Amino acid sequence: SSSSWRWRGALAESARIMEFQRAAETHRSAPLPDRSVHLWRYTDPRHLLPEDGRVTRTGLAVHLSDAARDQGVRVLSLSEGAPGAPEVGALVPPDHGPLEALNGATFDGGLLLRIPPGVTLDAPIRIHLDAPAEGLSVPRILVDVGRGASVTVVEEHTGGARGRVASVTELHVGDAAQVRHVILQAWAASARGHLTFRARVGRDANLVTALTS
């Protein structure tokens, strides 16, 4: 039955995520990035880690239009999984870097956003991530856009106060799809964060990305 398949699928996906998180844990002890590398020349990576090492949950909400719901756009926990969905870590594996390994080892739940093939949406899909006032926030997002779909996905990062954020987003763009991906960073002035975004773009597809803060 479909219910037993969902149960077995969720169990298998949970096992895969546990295996991924165990692998990520082994890379957490890797040295922090060398500041002689251009990317880190003006940022001390030590300032991105919380002093007490405490991990706290990110407030996360997804805003879908009625049209998105009607066309089958789904929002799931990463632990639920879905038939044919990309695997967590396919684009940002545990050995990508120490901050990505920290995210991989400690994220709780995570978000899977699935846009079916052929879906066309005028209104953007908004993912709102509200960082906690203290501690470390480790949101993880996996977006799967089907073949020939046309969508805009907006990540809104707010909050923070004295908190830290180590976020990872993996975006899979199907063949012939048209995707606009926007990151809006509006943390509190004293917050610190590192956002990792990687995408895989299919044949004849187009991805436009933008970051504003």
Side-chain angles (χ1 to χ4, degrees):
S1 67
S2 60
S3 60
S4 64
W5 183 93
R6 285 194 297 270
W7 182 82
R8 290 195 301 270
L11 191 63
E13 190 61 29
S14 294
R16 279 194 293 269
I17 287 178
M18 289 178 63
E19 181 180 354
F20 171 80
Q21 293 195 297
R22 283 194 296 268
E25 184 66 38
T26 66
H27 292 279
R28 285 185 61 183
S29 59
L32 288 174
D34 187 341
R35 293 196 65 190
S36 65
V37 178
H38 178 72
L39 177 64
W40 296 98
R41 185 169 299 171
Y42 304 106
T43 302
D44 187 340
R46 293 175 298 177
H47 295 164
L48 300 173
L49 303 176
E51 294 181 359
D52 59 6
R54 179 163 49 95
V55 175
T56 52
R57 182 178 287 273
T58 301
L60 195 155
V62 180
H63 304 277
L64 297 178
S65 65
D66 290 340
R69 294 188 182 90
D70 291 344
Q71 294 188 64
V73 175
R74 300 179 65 196
V75 179
L76 304 164
S77 166
L78 285 177
S79 60
E80 291 181 74
E87 288 191 10
V88 174
L91 302 182
V92 184
D95 60 355
H96 185 85
L99 294 172
E100 291 79 9
L102 176 62
N103 174 285
T106 57
F107 79 87
D108 182 12
L111 171 72
L112 169 61
L113 175 63
R114 296 208 76 186
I115 295 98
V119 166
T120 297
L121 298 175
D122 295 326
I125 298 172
R126 293 174 46 233
I127 304 172
H128 182 205
L129 304 99
D130 192 47
E134 296 181 337
L136 174 68
S137 168
V138 287
R140 192 166 191 114
I141 299 170
L142 176 60
V143 182
D144 181 25
V145 181
R147 179 185 180 90
S150 179
V151 296
T152 299
V153 178
V154 179
E155 288 184 36
E156 301 177 46
H157 293 263
T158 62
R162 296 176 302 281
R164 301 292 184 263
V165 179
S167 174
V168 171
T169 298
E170 298 176 284
L171 172 60
H172 295 259
V173 180
D175 293 347
Q178 304 293 315
V179 178
R180 282 76 56 194
H181 180 265
V182 180
I183 296 176
L184 302 177
Q185 189 270 95
W187 290 320
S190 56
R192 298 290 183 271
H194 182 268
L195 307 179
T196 299
F197 168 75
R198 295 194 76 183
R200 176 176 291 158
V201 181
R203 183 185 298 272
D204 298 324
N206 185 56
L207 170 64
V208 177
T209 64
L211 168 65
T212 181
S213 60

